[in-house]
Amino acid sequence: LHHLENVHIASDRNLQDVRFPVQYVIRPQSTAHHDYRGYAGTVAGGVLKPGDEVIVLPSGLKSTIAAIDTADGEIDEAYAPMAVTVRLTDDIDVSRGDMICRPHNQPRVSQDIEAMVCWLSEEPLRDRGMYAIKHTTRSARCQVRGLDYRIDVNTLHRDETADSLSLNEIGRVTLRATLPLFADEYRRNRTTGSFLLIDESTGATVGAGMIL
């Protein structure tokens, strides 16, 4: 109890690596805001300020933050886990699922993911099975390319002969996504380092993953 009540948790938030997954593009197209173009989402890491140079993934286009808006008006800075709208100085193509970050501090961009997965379904994980994957605001499909091992939760030993994961079992898997994902290690950023696996036929969440 003493450890639980006093354990340090402030460093769970990554304030170094700027990560802003775009959730929605705001274009009012009204008379009062005829040229407004903002990118709404929740800051997943780092600190954003007007004047900061940023890059948009996957396009690689660079721009500068013009302003940061909230429901209460403009603010001087935004940090995780604030929900804000970012405006850029350049009119570039940005859409849902894109990632705004710093040019010299970018997440890993790859279709191949190695992760620890906790299986949440009574239907076992299928090797070579296809699932929908939800990572930050980006959605894609993925295939299980291999189950490296299953962890015995009682002894923490690795069972490298395992060929499936059942309900509540944990294992290391290799996935191949149909779209590149903008990911960090889970231990560095819990938002960009996690994902959900979804059964496409039922829409049920079947797995939760932590990217290695």
Side-chain angles (χ1 to χ4, degrees), residues 127-157:
D127 190 19
R128 300 292 170 177
M130 293 294 298
Y131 300 93
I133 184 170
K134 180 76 166 57
H135 175 259
T136 63
T137 59
R138 198 166 178 82
S139 298
R141 301 178 72 226
C142 69
Q143 183 183 47
V144 179
R145 288 296 180 93
L147 173 61
D148 298 332
Y149 56 81
R150 180 175 60 208
I151 293 181
D152 186 321
V153 295
N154 296 310
T155 65
L156 299 184
H157 290 163

Side-chain angles (χ1 to χ4, degrees), residues 6-161:
N6 294 277
V7 64
H8 177 70
I9 60 171
S11 58
D12 283 357
R13 295 178 182 174
N14 184 327
L15 298 178
Q16 297 178 337
D17 306 321
V18 171
R19 303 288 186 263
F20 185 73
V22 177
Q23 183 175 357
Y24 189 71
V25 179
I26 299 178
R27 293 292 303 275
Q29 296 181 336
S30 63
T31 304
H33 306 283
H34 64 280
D35 60 349
Y36 188 95
R37 187 184 182 96
Y39 309 106
T42 300
V43 182
V47 179
L48 296 168
K49 298 179 181 180
D52 287 350
E53 184 182 9
V54 293
I55 188 171
V56 180
L57 301 176
S59 67
L61 298 174
K62 294 182 181 180
S63 186
T64 303
I65 296 177
I68 302 173
D69 298 328
T70 68
D72 298 321
E74 290 189 23
I75 57 176
D76 295 330
E77 65 178 19
Y79 49 87
M82 294 176 63
V84 299
T85 299
V86 173
R87 285 186 280 145
L88 303 178
T89 56
D90 302 284
D91 188 11
I92 58 179
D93 186 20
V94 182
S95 58
R96 175 181 172 87
D98 289 357
M99 175 81 73
I100 295 176
C101 58
R102 293 285 178 83
H104 303 295
N105 183 349
Q106 301 180 27
R108 181 172 178 266
V109 181
S110 178
Q111 291 176 251
D112 296 304
I113 298 293
E114 293 188 11
M116 299 300 296
V117 170
C118 178
W119 200 244
L120 307 174
S121 172
E122 294 182 357
E123 184 71 25
L125 175 142
R126 306 186 306 274
D127 190 19
R128 300 292 170 177
M130 293 294 298
Y131 300 93
I133 184 170
K134 180 76 166 57
H135 175 259
T136 63
T137 59
R138 198 166 178 82
S139 298
R141 301 178 72 226
C142 69
Q143 183 183 47
V144 179
R145 288 296 180 93
L147 173 61
D148 298 332
Y149 56 81
R150 180 175 60 208
I151 293 181
D152 186 321
V153 295
N154 296 310
T155 65
L156 299 184
H157 290 163
R158 301 177 180 181
D159 180 4
E160 298 182 355
T161 63

